[in-house]
Amino acid sequence: MESVPKLCGCKGIRTCLVCENVSEPRQNTNVQVKKPSTVYVFCQTCKNKAWMNSTNHSDHTDGIGDSVDFPGIVLVEDFVTNDEEESIVLEIDSCPWKDSQSGRKKQDYGPKVNFKKRKVNHRPFTGLPCFSQTLVGRMSTVDQLRDFKIVEQCNLEYVPTRGSAIDPHFDDFWLWGERLVTLNLLSNTVLTFTKPTTSEPHENESVCVDVHLPQRSLVIVYGSARYEWMHAIHREDITARRIAITFRELSTEFCDGGTKADIGSELIEIAYRFNGSAVQ
């Protein structure tokens, strides 16, 4: 019997516009996660606050208005130039993309990891790509990233025609360290933060914080934004092609003094060869 070609990378409950629009959609798929009804917007000028229905600092210069404390975000606008962005995208698109969940495509440069069994396989990892060496050097000039040692780079492509998105989630805590760093290319988008629901009725379930990411900006997520708030990209916030380059560091368990420091040291050495190919 001739096999049916797979239309997308979705599995389990995840879906995209491709598999949602087939004549016989998969069973037991999820309904797209919608944004909560109450939206606060992170203010780059205020740094550690997000304001209700406010996209400009001028809307709340008097400090009056409904706000929430929201530490743990650093946004560096125009981290790369127009010409650099074009060159980076050409480099990325010269390599094959792999279908991923929820309408995304991806390229991975990092170790193979089984998070459930807590196993790390460094063998498929040949290093970060050559073009990233300039980006890594520039990141080291940012105060919050001077000691940031990258061991994984993940390139993700989002496009509206596939309904690309990623549901609210925490990045793994066992292997990946505190700082998550993403370079946002080709279009503006919004990174949405929500707190997981608790045992208290209705607590946090209808509140989110939107962090607006301009094209070519670099965002650093750390502290409570990393550990207490889940992050997501909603389908409605992908209005044009977007490429996100996310860089991750190791947790303390894999750093000097940790129980798996030898593994961490080897991963860092491989990463900084800067001659890697995407893991297939």
Side-chain angles (χ1 to χ4, degrees):
M1 179 182 294
E2 185 176 343
S3 62
V4 178
K6 189 166 174 54
L7 298 174
C8 64
C10 297
K11 55 186 177 181
I13 64 171
R14 306 289 180 233
T15 65
C16 66
L17 287 178
V18 175
C19 57
E20 289 170 15
N21 291 331
V22 297
S23 57
E24 295 183 9
R26 294 181 294 112
Q27 299 298 312
N28 300 319
T29 55
N30 71 331
V31 176
Q32 282 296 309
V33 176
K34 295 185 181 297
K35 282 192 181 183
S37 57
T38 302
V39 179
Y40 292 83
V41 180
F42 173 75
C43 178
Q44 168 72 346
T45 305
C46 295
K47 301 297 184 188
N48 293 326
K49 278 192 176 294
W51 297 80
M52 173 86 74
N53 301 321
S54 174
T55 57
N56 295 304
H57 178 67
S58 58
D59 294 337
H60 52 259
T61 52
D62 55 6
I64 298 175
D66 190 357
S67 67
V68 293
D69 291 332
F70 193 70
I73 297 291
V74 173
L75 189 63
V76 183
E77 297 191 33
D78 295 314
F79 186 75
V80 295
T81 66
N82 282 305
D83 289 344
E84 287 172 329
E85 177 184 46
E86 183 178 352
S87 176
I88 291 167
V89 171
L90 285 172
E91 289 280 357
I92 290 174
D93 282 337
S94 70
C95 300
W97 289 95
K98 290 174 61 177
D99 287 333
S100 187
Q101 298 265 47
S102 303
R104 305 184 306 275
K105 290 182 182 288
K106 68 178 180 180
Q107 298 169 351
D108 284 320
Y109 298 84
K112 285 275 192 179
V113 184
N114 186 322
F115 290 105
K116 288 185 178 179
K117 295 183 178 180
R118 294 199 166 188
K119 291 185 177 181
V120 180
N121 179 6
H122 71 273
R123 291 184 184 87
F125 184 30
T126 55
L128 301 175
C130 181
F131 75 83
S132 293
Q133 190 164 7
T134 300
L135 297 175
V136 173
R138 190 172 301 169
M139 279 189 271
S140 69
T141 67
V142 178
D143 286 343
Q144 294 83 357
L145 298 177
R146 294 192 186 280
D147 60 347
F148 188 61
K149 294 295 183 183
I150 299 163
V151 292
E152 199 232 23
Q153 174 180 327
C154 182
N155 305 332
L156 288 172
E157 180 196 54
Y158 295 73
V159 292
T161 54
R162 293 198 302 267
S164 302
I166 187 165
D167 286 345
H169 68 284
F170 289 110
D171 277 33
D172 172 74
F173 300 140
W174 165 66
L175 179 61
W176 307 135
E178 178 177 2
R179 292 165 292 190
L180 306 174
V181 180
T182 298
L183 179 61
N184 183 60
L185 300 177
L186 295 181
S187 62
N188 302 335
T189 193
V190 178
L191 185 60
T192 298
F193 290 82
T194 53
K195 282 196 172 182
T197 54
T198 68
S199 58
E200 295 297 321
H202 308 300
E203 184 176 349
N204 302 319
E205 66 183 24
S206 60
V207 173
C208 72
V209 172
D210 277 354
V211 178
H212 288 256
L213 304 181
Q215 183 178 347
R216 295 185 300 279
S217 65
L218 186 83
V219 63
I220 306 167
V221 179
Y222 68 98
S224 61
R226 160 80 162 108
Y227 294 119
E228 297 176 18
W229 295 75
M230 298 184 295
H231 57 276
I233 298 286
H234 288 271
R235 184 181 288 183
E236 66 202 67
D237 291 320
I238 298 298
T239 58
R241 189 188 187 207
R242 175 201 185 221
I243 290 179
I245 307 177
T246 294
F247 302 93
R248 296 182 175 91
E249 65 180 343
L250 291 168
S251 68
T252 54
E253 185 174 344
F254 292 84
C255 294
D256 289 344
T259 57
K260 293 183 172 61
D262 55 335
I263 297 174
S265 178
E266 186 171 14
L267 291 174
I268 292 171
E269 189 277 324
I270 295 171
Y272 281 73
R273 294 172 187 172
F274 292 107
N275 60 0
S277 301
V279 177
Q280 299 303 311

